[in-house]
């Protein structure tokens, strides 16, 4: 796959299957803009699936969720390019997520889940074609053998609530160790070391092959990335690839949108009712210590800008706190510039954007720092205390702690939001300013 800046894109030779198997990188020329945009669109799908799995959604709910995210994000204005977008986006994210063991594990799990549900939504003819693409060494059970096993197969189908085998039913005879999930859940009949897999269960066979191939491919891709691609593309692709893993995919909160401004007289009450835990902690520490280190000032300052604190009020707010610790003169000399800079009034006059959850989670606060994500960076004891202070009930608190313990930090924040506001948040929390905006919408009757 070659990345170019030209406007042309050549189609790959041959017929591309309904669901690509991603065996090798396509012979396509890809515009640099598409390289990133396609990857972001697919990443929205994968993160939607990951959130659904973390929430414990059932199979039928996951099927609807996968269909929704795929149709919403993977469309293309040119219908003939939809499959190319699918292939390109997969290989770009393979580059992004091959780079660490944790990345590889996540990508392998979610891509396999995506493939499973896409396969299940295909017709039986397409499923057989995909099996042929995998060149699986399995043949359908012949009529004579099938008649001898029909009663046993019927018993298994009845026990798991599936439709009973009909006269034209297709079963595959495979070594039992190749369908561990079916064996573990007793969904297949086993005889002499072989499992008899119904056509509506072949997804387990295909998914096992898909996962095995992708797992090996990710390791090989990491070797190529480390030894050759990263340095060769240091000026062009490498910055994009390295940024994509922690990229924020939601709305821009550089300017307040729904709730125009917050006033200084209301800021304490608003902080208590609508700030997410990460910002509430920083706000309270600022009120308590009258000082925050650089990381904390940036994280809280840009958040306040995004929720509608005007520059003049921001200067008054920060000065009233810092001057109690460092004095008015030192504040004006050392700190006021940074506040004006965040608002685009100094230096390059860039309109800086508030930090997303991904950026906050990936930060590394040091001793004396208070920024970062409490669900990741707090001890369990401190997190429990902070959640209790927010009014999270004991039952909900245990769910939040469990998600944080299992590294589902944004889901933990989402559950906190739901507990505090007694309202669902199906989209999940992806940005502190989104948390604030959704909270204000609920509290103001929106």
């Amino acid at each position: 796959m070659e990345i170019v800046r030209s406007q042309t894109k050549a189609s790959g030779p041959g017929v591309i299957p309904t669901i690509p198997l991603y065996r090798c990188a396509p012979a396509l020329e890809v515009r640099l803009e598409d390289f990133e945009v396609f990857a972001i669109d697919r990443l929205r799908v994968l993160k939607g699936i990951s959130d659904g799995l973390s929430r414990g959604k059932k199979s039928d709910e996951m099927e609807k969720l996968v269909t929704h995210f795929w149709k919403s994000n993977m469309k293309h204005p040119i219908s003939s390019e939809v499959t190319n977008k699918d292939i390109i986006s997969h290989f770009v994210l393979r580059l992004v997520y091959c780079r660490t063991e944790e990345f590889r594990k996540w990508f392998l799990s979610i891509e396999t889940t995506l493939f499973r549900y896409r396969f299940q939504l295909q017709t039986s003819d397409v499923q057989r074609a995909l099996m042929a693409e995998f060149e699986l060494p399995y043949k359908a059970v012949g009529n004579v053998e099938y008649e001898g096993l029909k009663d046993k197969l019927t018993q298994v189908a009845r026990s798991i609530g599936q439709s009973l085998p009909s006269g034209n039913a297709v079963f595959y005879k495979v070594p039992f160790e190749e369908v561990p999930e079916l064996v573990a859940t007793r969904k297949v009949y086993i005889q002499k070391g072989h499992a008899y897999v119904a056509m509506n269960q072949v997804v387990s066979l295909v998914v096992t092959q898909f996962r095995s191939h992708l797992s090996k491919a990710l390791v090989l891709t990491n070797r190529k990335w480390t030894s050759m691609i990263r340095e060769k593309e240091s000026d062009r692709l490498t910055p994009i690839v390295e940024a994509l893993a922690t990229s924020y995919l939601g709305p821009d909160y550089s300017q307040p949108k729904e709730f125009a401004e917050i006033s200084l007289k209301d800021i304490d009450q608003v902080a208590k009712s609508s700030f997410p835990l990460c910002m509430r902690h920083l706000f309270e520490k600022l009120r308590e210590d009258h000082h925050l280190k650089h990381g904390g000032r940036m994280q809280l300052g840009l958040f306040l800008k995004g929720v509608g604190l005007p520059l003049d009020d921001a200067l008054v707010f920060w000065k009233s706190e810092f001057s109690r610790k460092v004095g008015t003169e030192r504040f004006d000399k050392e700190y006021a510039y940074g506040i004006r800079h965040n608002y685009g009034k100094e230096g390059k006059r860039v309109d800086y954007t508030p930090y997303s959850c991904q950026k906050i989670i990936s930060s590394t606060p040091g001793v004396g720092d208070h920024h970062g994500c409490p669900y990741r960076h707090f001890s369990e004891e401190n997190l429990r205390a902070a959640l209790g202070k927010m009014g999270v009930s004991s039952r909900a608190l245990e769910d939040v702690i469990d998600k944080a313990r299992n590294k589902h930090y944004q889901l933990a924040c989402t559950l906190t939001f739901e507990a505090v506001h007694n309202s669902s948040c199906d989209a999940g929390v992806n940005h502190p300013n989104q948390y604030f905006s959704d909270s204000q919408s609920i509290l103001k009757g929106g």
Side-chain angles (χ1 to χ4, degrees), residues 106-385:
W106 182 85
F107 184 71
L108 179 63
S109 172
I110 307 304
E111 275 285 345
T112 301
T113 300
L114 171 61
F115 181 82
R116 172 188 293 278
Y117 285 103
R118 291 183 70 195
F119 182 89
Q120 288 177 172
L121 290 167
Q122 303 304 311
T123 64
S124 57
D125 287 341
V126 172
Q127 289 178 347
R128 288 193 191 96
L130 285 164
M131 289 182 70
E133 287 282 334
F134 273 114
E135 299 178 347
L136 299 176
Y138 314 126
K139 292 183 179 180
V141 174
N143 290 335
V144 175
E145 187 175 5
Y146 171 72
E147 288 299 325
L149 296 168
K150 188 174 180 179
D151 290 344
K152 296 290 186 182
L153 298 175
T154 299
Q155 288 177 23
V156 172
R158 186 179 289 116
S159 70
I160 61 176
Q162 291 194 343
S163 56
L164 303 181
S166 60
N168 59 353
V170 177
F171 282 82
Y172 291 88
K173 182 179 179 180
V174 305
F176 77 91
E177 63 269 19
E178 297 195 16
V179 284
E181 63 180 53
L182 294 179
V183 173
T185 52
R186 303 192 176 195
K187 291 182 178 179
V188 286
Y189 175 63
I190 299 175
Q191 180 176 281
K192 296 181 179 179
H194 286 90
Y196 290 82
V197 181
M199 188 63 212
N200 60 6
Q201 297 173 318
V202 296
V203 63
S204 294
L205 280 173
V206 178
V207 164
T208 298
Q209 295 294 321
F210 179 86
R211 185 185 183 92
S212 175
H213 167 76
L214 181 56
S215 179
K216 294 172 184 175
L218 284 169
V219 174
L220 292 174
T221 304
N222 179 48
R223 290 176 187 168
K224 290 182 180 178
W225 170 260
T226 305
S227 63
M228 182 173 59
I229 303 174
R230 181 172 57 190
E231 186 174 348
K232 182 180 178 181
E233 294 287 347
S234 60
D235 295 330
R236 200 169 53 135
L237 297 188
T238 299
I240 296 175
V241 167
E242 293 183 345
L244 274 170
T246 56
S247 60
Y248 167 63
L249 308 176
D252 174 23
Y253 289 100
S254 57
Q255 294 293 336
K257 290 180 173 61
E258 295 180 56
F259 307 99
E261 290 186 359
I262 58 172
S263 64
L264 285 177
K265 67 181 179 64
D266 296 329
I267 195 168
D268 286 276
Q269 180 56 41
V270 172
K272 188 175 181 180
S273 66
S274 294
F275 281 18
L277 181 54
C278 57
M279 299 304 172
R280 180 168 169 160
H281 174 66
L282 283 167
F283 185 84
E284 290 174 350
K285 281 297 177 182
L286 177 61
R287 288 295 203 206
E288 180 183 322
D289 299 338
H290 313 297
H291 189 271
L292 287 174
K293 289 188 175 182
H294 176 74
R297 296 198 302 274
M298 290 295 291
Q299 184 172 308
L300 179 60
L302 290 173
F303 169 79
L304 292 174
K305 172 195 169 190
V307 301
L309 188 67
L311 174 58
D312 289 344
D313 284 358
L315 287 167
V316 171
F317 169 73
W318 289 97
K319 187 172 185 175
S320 66
E321 292 299 329
F322 269 57
S323 60
R324 297 170 66 177
K325 184 96 172 216
V326 302
T328 301
E329 184 178 343
R330 185 178 170 190
F331 174 83
D332 291 338
K333 190 174 182 180
E334 297 183 18
Y335 299 101
Y337 177 90
I339 296 166
R340 291 194 298 271
H341 191 270
N342 283 349
Y343 279 76
K345 303 301 181 183
E346 298 284 359
K348 295 180 180 179
R349 302 185 183 277
V350 175
D351 191 16
Y352 289 94
T353 302
Y355 292 173
S356 68
C357 290
Q358 281 288 341
K359 186 173 179 109
I360 292 171
I361 290 168
S362 62
S363 64
T364 52
V367 177
D369 283 325
H370 298 293
H371 63 282
C373 174
Y375 302 98
R376 180 185 178 189
H377 298 116
F378 276 19
S379 67
E380 186 171 312
E381 182 182 358
N382 287 344
L383 182 57
R384 284 181 181 276

